[in-house]
């Protein structure tokens, strides 16, 4: 049997109606399946690396000879010399506390008083032994962003 036979048979209204009904149900099932697939894809969604390329600060926010801690981004941005911007991890290399202040030319950890240079992240006071890792930043005009 083929669809052509169904269409040309006389008195086949009932069968055609049944076929049409089955088609509608099938289409509905396909649409429902598509809907759930779409929502699944939306949940997976496009992702971008957290913090990468996002504006971080304006250059005017970073004091010369000091810096600013962006605790939510785990980044410290410093300006050791006018117009020279540096960025470091805000996580102390001693035991992983977050640094909380920048004073006297150093980035300071509250947990055991380690101090790090604002110029290169090097250790200025123990117990930390390793420097704060540098982070890549990009300065565009007056905008500083993580690169
Ligand atoms: S965790 Fe920073 S000094 Fe110990």
């Amino acid at each position: 049997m083929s669809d052509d036979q169904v269409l040309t048979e006389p008195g086949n209204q009932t069968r055609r109606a049944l076929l049409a009904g089955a088609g509608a149900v099938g289409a509905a099932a396909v649409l429902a399946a598509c809907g759930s697939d779409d929502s699944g894809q939306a949940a997976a969604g496009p992702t971008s690396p957290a913090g990468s390329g996002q504006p971080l600060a304006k250059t005017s926010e970073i004091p010369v000879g000091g810096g600013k801690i962006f605790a939510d981004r785990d980044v410290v941005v410093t300006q050791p010399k006018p117009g020279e911007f540096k960025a470091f991890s805000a996580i102390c290399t001693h035991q992983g506390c977050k640094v909380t202040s920048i004073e006297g030319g150093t980035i300071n950890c509250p947990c055991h008083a380690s101090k790090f240079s604002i110029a290169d992240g090097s250790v200025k006071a123990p117990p930390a032994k390793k420097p704060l890792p540098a982070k890549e930043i990009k300065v565009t005009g007056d905008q500083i962003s993580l690169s």
Side-chain angles (χ1 to χ4, degrees):
M1 179 182 77
S2 74
D3 285 342
D4 286 340
Q5 286 174 319
V6 169
L7 291 173
T8 56
E9 280 178 17
N12 64 358
Q13 280 299 95
T14 305
R15 286 181 65 186
R16 287 172 71 178
L18 284 173
L19 287 171
V25 169
V30 168
L31 286 174
C34 284
S36 66
D37 282 355
D38 286 349
S39 63
Q41 285 171 353
T47 56
S48 61
S52 181
Q54 299 292 313
L56 192 61
K58 288 197 180 302
T59 53
S60 57
E61 292 177 56
I62 314 300
V64 175
K68 187 170 177 182
I69 298 164
F70 298 88
D72 57 333
R73 308 281 285 274
D74 289 342
V75 178
V76 182
V77 178
T78 63
Q79 189 175 185
K81 295 178 192 164
E84 181 184 280
F85 295 92
K86 305 269 179 142
F88 306 97
S89 165
I91 307 299
C92 180
T93 56
H94 177 229
Q95 288 183 2
C97 287
K98 209 170 274 196
V99 299
T100 54
S101 71
I102 301 173
E103 286 173 23
T106 55
I107 301 163
N108 309 316
C109 180
C111 289
H112 313 96
S114 287
K115 294 177 188 281
F116 304 89
S117 164
I118 62 166
D120 59 10
S122 61
V123 176
K124 292 292 185 184
K129 292 190 172 86
K130 294 182 185 168
L132 291 178
K135 296 238 184 194
E136 292 291 318
I137 51 171
K138 198 167 58 183
V139 181
T140 308
D142 67 348
Q143 191 71 53
I144 302 171
S145 55
L146 287 171
S147 54

